[in-house]
Amino acid sequence: MSRVRVTHIGGPTALIEVGGWRLLTDPTFDPAGRAYAFGWGTSSRKLAGPAVDAGALGPIDAVLLTHDHHGDNLDGAGRELLPSAGTVVTTAAGAARLGGGARGLAPWASTTLEAEGRPSIEVTATPCRHGPPLSRPIVGDVVGFALRWEGQRHGAVWISGDTVLYPGVRQVAGRLPVGLALLHLGGVRFPVTGPLRYTMTARDAVELLGAVRPHTAVPVHYEGWKHFQQPRAEIEREFAAAPAGVRDRIRWLEIGTPTDLET
């Protein structure tokens, strides 16, 4: 199976469908308008609701939750959805907080999704650092996910997770062939911490894509929240100036529209 269907629902939330599996990343289904506190004086407001309501989503076989402790990756309605999902895969600390049989992974650890009549999917956690050096005790643990199954033509489906560009995330280039990358962008900043960034900018993404070289790269986590500081128009300008080997790999998805992609 070299093709996968992806629906970008908004923010970091995407539905990935392949081989009868329905996998959901970072569920955020609250309506617009609510404010969320992230700790240590940081907060944000949700500016846009999901393109698909949680009630219209249909059954979910697994939730791939990069982290459970920030409302822009798991909000109230998203949290209510978790018990109905077949499996929740997240950080080790997040699994302990969530309970209910959630599977916790440290970076480069793996688990396998299995079901009769479907291909097995190996889920490997990839490194993230959700802020500047030494910020982990404050911002908490985050992981990305690499999904591998038999028949992929170009390589894994990789969800970067909320991360800045740092040596840990660069390890992906040396350890995984990537067919499809979902990149969490937005250049997150907060007034209380000034110029410090908590997710990648478009310039960071260009550098990372030059190393990882996926067949296709899809931006997510760039709209719908006040603390996302680099909107699509600015990201597109940076991408337009990137080398052809990078910019030709980028694919913007219409939010809410299922799109078939190669992996």
Side-chain angles (χ1 to χ4, degrees):
M1 298 180 304
S2 63
R3 297 190 70 81
V4 59
R5 177 166 292 180
V6 179
T7 307
H8 184 195
I9 293 171
T13 309
L15 177 65
I16 300 170
E17 299 175 89
V18 62
W21 290 99
R22 304 182 83 247
L23 313 176
L24 185 68
T25 68
D26 286 354
T28 54
F29 289 93
D30 283 353
R34 180 177 166 184
Y36 301 78
F38 300 140
W40 295 85
T42 60
S43 63
S44 186
R45 182 173 297 276
K46 193 168 188 180
L47 303 178
V52 180
D53 290 337
L57 195 61
I60 297 299
D61 299 300
V63 169
L64 305 173
L65 180 57
T66 65
H67 56 304
D68 67 303
H69 53 282
H70 291 156
D72 59 328
N73 296 83
L74 181 66
D75 60 17
R79 193 174 293 271
E80 290 175 3
L81 177 148
L82 295 184
S84 66
T87 302
V88 177
V89 186
T90 187
T91 63
R97 285 188 292 263
L98 293 172
R103 304 185 194 180
L105 297 179
W108 299 118
S110 298
T111 189
T112 302
L113 303 177
E114 296 178 300
E116 186 175 353
R118 300 179 195 172
S120 296
I121 298 180
E122 182 185 54
V123 180
T124 300
T126 59
C128 292
R129 194 183 76 204
H130 196 5
L134 306 179
S135 64
R136 192 179 304 275
I138 297 174
V139 300
D141 289 339
V142 181
V143 290
F145 296 104
L147 313 180
R148 289 179 283 190
W149 57 81
E150 188 175 348
Q152 289 175 324
R153 179 179 177 187
H154 303 288
V157 173
W158 178 46
I159 300 115
S160 74
D162 285 10
T163 186
V164 295
L165 183 62
Y166 81 113
V169 76
R170 288 190 181 97
Q171 292 175 14
V172 171
R175 297 185 64 155
L176 287 172
V178 176
L180 171 62
L182 273 59
L183 295 178
H184 289 213
L185 302 180
V188 166
R189 290 185 301 169
F190 298 97
V192 71
T193 54
L196 297 178
R197 298 278 187 185
Y198 295 86
T199 61
M200 286 189 290
T201 64
R203 186 168 300 179
D204 297 330
V206 167
E207 182 178 340
L208 185 59
L209 290 174
V212 175
R213 299 186 65 80
H215 179 266
T216 306
V218 172
V220 297
H221 195 273
Y222 61 86
E223 46 64 50
W225 293 80
K226 187 176 180 181
H227 64 303
F228 294 177
Q229 297 295 310
Q230 193 174 46
R232 175 171 172 168
E234 186 176 336
I235 296 170
E236 287 186 306
R237 286 194 294 271
E238 290 278 0
F239 285 167
V246 170
R247 69 172 181 266
D248 294 346
R249 299 169 189 266
I250 296 164
R251 176 82 178 269
W252 292 90
L253 302 189
E254 182 178 352
I255 294 177
T257 300
T259 305
D260 290 337
L261 301 166
E262 282 197 18
T263 185

